[in-house]
């Protein structure tokens, strides 16, 4: 899909975004093209952004116009730049026929040439096919109706409510709204609770797509830094008092990307802070069921305070291709959401809801298999990192699907560019930052099979050897307009 040119980025601002894009004594068109491509893939240069003229960009970077022209030629070949006489050049993403599935940190790849460590997304469990077969038998019952279920199918809402009850949080199906994934659920909540210009408190680091949703509403994310063992709840409480956010977005269950879990004492302390400041918190429970500790889990946050709205997802526990999530809140709030939802969509697909309802009947069996598989792959990744990148430091996570690694130098963004050229895709730490910092950090998921994880780390090791550790801005740490 080609986007018409829109906003223009000045040469000086593009130079800031590029930062230390080359890192060698002799700049090359290949390195410049790779850096620009990474900016497009990370959303720092949105599709439709008009690029500076060749002469302006050459002057701003201090390179020849020929180098700029060759870099743009490479990007046009790869489908990342479009040009038209009289209109200049602008950013685009590759068209479907050019296999855009194989490009970018946040696009899943269907092939095996590039190993994708940018997404913590497991494959479907073997039980899914049987669940779909059972769902097809019930599908015919719905064909005579209109097919719209803005709150979600009753059978699915009942089974989601049962899962909460099993976790120690009594819940009725009337408290559940089925959404098209947790991200969709969060977007619905933002639209209902937050106005442009208002503040949303988040952890730092945090889930990148949540930041995109906040910024997409023209709200302001307010970051509270995580500490080595997780949360400084006193600091979080002080930030709630001082910044008066309209909403808080928190991930206390196997935090993405760090993998830590807030204990019961911390949850009670957080609940008191939310009550004192009259702050509503959206609690992202996407990874809540990926518990790798075997220890007794603390109660969900909504058991500690009625100011917690829970958002869950089938993507990590079961499969992202189902595109289903849910919101757990009070019955009155859910009904308000059902009314307001019509402005965005009219409900989730029936067949997928039936399939998830069938999976939830066997949830314990499916999740146990997922946990065993995740532990095996986590241990495989840890062994590979300790063998090939022993200077990387990380905490073995309590749950979730990734390691949060201190890579020893502020080169995460440059390493992500180099890694792509070595056949492995990774998400730099800056993607999880409100401010584009965290350049010493990188998230490395363990969702691929063991042999692919080992190969990916070998490729990442080769990429690491090619990245200089010099000072200076990198492509995602420069200020962003």
């Amino acid at each position: 899909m080609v986007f018409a040119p829109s906003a223009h980025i000045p040469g000086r601002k593009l130079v800031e975004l590029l930062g230390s894009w080359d890192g060698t004594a002799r700049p090359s068109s290949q390195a410049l093209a790779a850096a620009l491509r990474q900016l497009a893939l990370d959303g720092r240069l949105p599709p439709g952004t008009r690029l500076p003229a060749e002469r302006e960009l050459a002057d701003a970077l201090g390179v020849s116009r020929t180098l700029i022209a060759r870099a743009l030629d490479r990007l046009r070949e790869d489908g990342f730049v479009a040009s038209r006489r009289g209109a200049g050049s602008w950013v685009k993403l590759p068209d479907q026929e050019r296999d855009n599935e194989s490009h970018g940190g946040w696009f899943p790849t269907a092939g095996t040439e590039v190993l994708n460590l940018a997404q913590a997304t497991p494959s479907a469990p073997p039980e899914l096919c049987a669940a779909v077969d059972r769902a097809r038998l019930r599908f015919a019952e719905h064909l005579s109706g209109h097919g719209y279920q803005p709150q979600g199918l009753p059978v699915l809402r009942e089974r989601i409510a049962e899962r909460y009850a099993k976790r120690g949080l009594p819940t009725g199906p009337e408290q559940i709204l089925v959404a098209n994934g947790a991200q969709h659920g969060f977007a619905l909540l933002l639209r209902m609770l937050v106005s442009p210009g208002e503040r949303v408190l988040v952890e730092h680091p945090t889930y990148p797509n949540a930041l995109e949703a906040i910024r997409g509403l023209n709200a302001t994310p307010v970051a509270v830094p995580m500490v080595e063992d997780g949360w400084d709840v006193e600091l979080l409480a002080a930030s709630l008092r001082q910044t008066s956010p309209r909403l808080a977005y928190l991930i206390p269950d196997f935090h993405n990307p760090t993998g830590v879990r807030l204990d019961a004492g911390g949850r009670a302390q957080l609940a008191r802070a939310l009550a004192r400041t009259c702050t509503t918190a959206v609690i992202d429970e996407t990874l809540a069921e990926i518990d790798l500790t075997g220890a007794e889990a603390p109660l969900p946050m909504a058991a500690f305070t009625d100011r917690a709205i829970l958002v869950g997802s089938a993507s990590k526990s079961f499969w992202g291709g189902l595109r289903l999530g849910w919101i757990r809140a009070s019955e009155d709030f859910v009904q308000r959401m059902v009314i307001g939802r019509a402005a965005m969509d009219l409900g989730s697909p029936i067949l997928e809801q039936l399939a998830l309802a069938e999976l939830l009947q066997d949830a314990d069996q499916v999740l146990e298999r997922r946990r065993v598989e995740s532990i095996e792959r986590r241990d495989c990744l840890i062994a590979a990192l300790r063998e090939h990148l022993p200077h990387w430091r990380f905490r073995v996570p309590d749950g979730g699907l990734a390691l949060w690694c201190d890579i020893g130098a502020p080169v995460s963004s440059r390493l992500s560019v180099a890694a792509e050229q070595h056949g492995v895709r990774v998400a730099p730490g800056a993607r999880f930052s409100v401010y584009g910092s965290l350049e010493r950090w990188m998230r490395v998921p363990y969702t691929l099979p063991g042999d692919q994880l080992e190969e990916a780390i070998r490729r990442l090791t080769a990429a690491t050897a090619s990245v200089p550790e010099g000072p200076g801005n990198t492509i995602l740490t420069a200020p962003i307009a």
Side-chain angles (χ1 to χ4, degrees), residues 95-163:
D95 297 326
Q96 287 289 340
E97 60 266 24
R98 297 179 65 96
D99 187 24
N100 76 336
E101 285 189 341
S102 67
H103 294 284
W106 302 102
F107 296 97
T109 175
T112 57
E113 182 178 349
V114 176
L115 296 172
N116 191 357
L117 291 183
Q119 289 183 308
T121 51
S123 58
E127 294 87 351
L128 178 58
C129 287
V132 171
D133 288 340
R134 296 194 300 272
R136 288 176 59 196
L137 299 176
R138 303 193 61 179
F139 188 52
E141 303 170 11
H142 298 269
L143 296 179
S144 60
H146 51 67
Y148 295 109
Q149 294 281 348
Q151 188 170 348
L153 286 179
V155 63
L156 178 56
R157 291 189 284 115
E158 288 170 5
R159 288 178 185 169
I160 293 170
E162 288 169 3
R163 292 298 300 175

Side-chain angles (χ1 to χ4, degrees), residues 318-393:
F318 300 104
W319 188 46
L322 289 169
R323 298 312 314 129
L324 291 174
W326 53 86
I327 296 167
R328 190 265 184 202
S330 69
E331 181 179 357
D332 289 345
F333 187 86
V334 167
Q335 290 307 310
R336 288 166 53 202
M337 291 205 67
V338 169
I339 295 170
R341 180 175 185 172
M344 294 185 66
D345 73 318
L346 300 177
S348 302
I350 297 297
L351 183 58
E352 283 82 347
Q353 291 189 71
L354 291 170
L356 179 56
E358 293 296 331
L359 280 172
L360 286 172
Q361 273 198 310
D362 303 319
D364 290 339
Q365 175 185 343
V366 177
L367 290 170
E368 182 58 29
R369 184 193 299 272
R370 179 72 79 200
R371 292 184 189 106
V372 170
E373 176 186 79
S374 296
I375 290 171
E376 290 175 352
R377 293 181 177 183
R378 180 196 66 185
D379 294 347
C380 178
L381 176 61
I382 289 172
L385 286 172
R386 286 175 175 165
E387 177 181 357
H388 297 286
L389 294 166
H391 63 287
W392 284 25
R393 297 288 179 261

Side-chain angles (χ1 to χ4, degrees), residues 261-272 296-299 301 304:
R261 179 167 61 184
L262 185 62
D263 61 19
R267 292 174 191 234
Q269 189 178 355
L270 173 58
R272 291 191 293 270
E296 182 177 355
L299 294 173
M301 269 301 302
F304 294 85

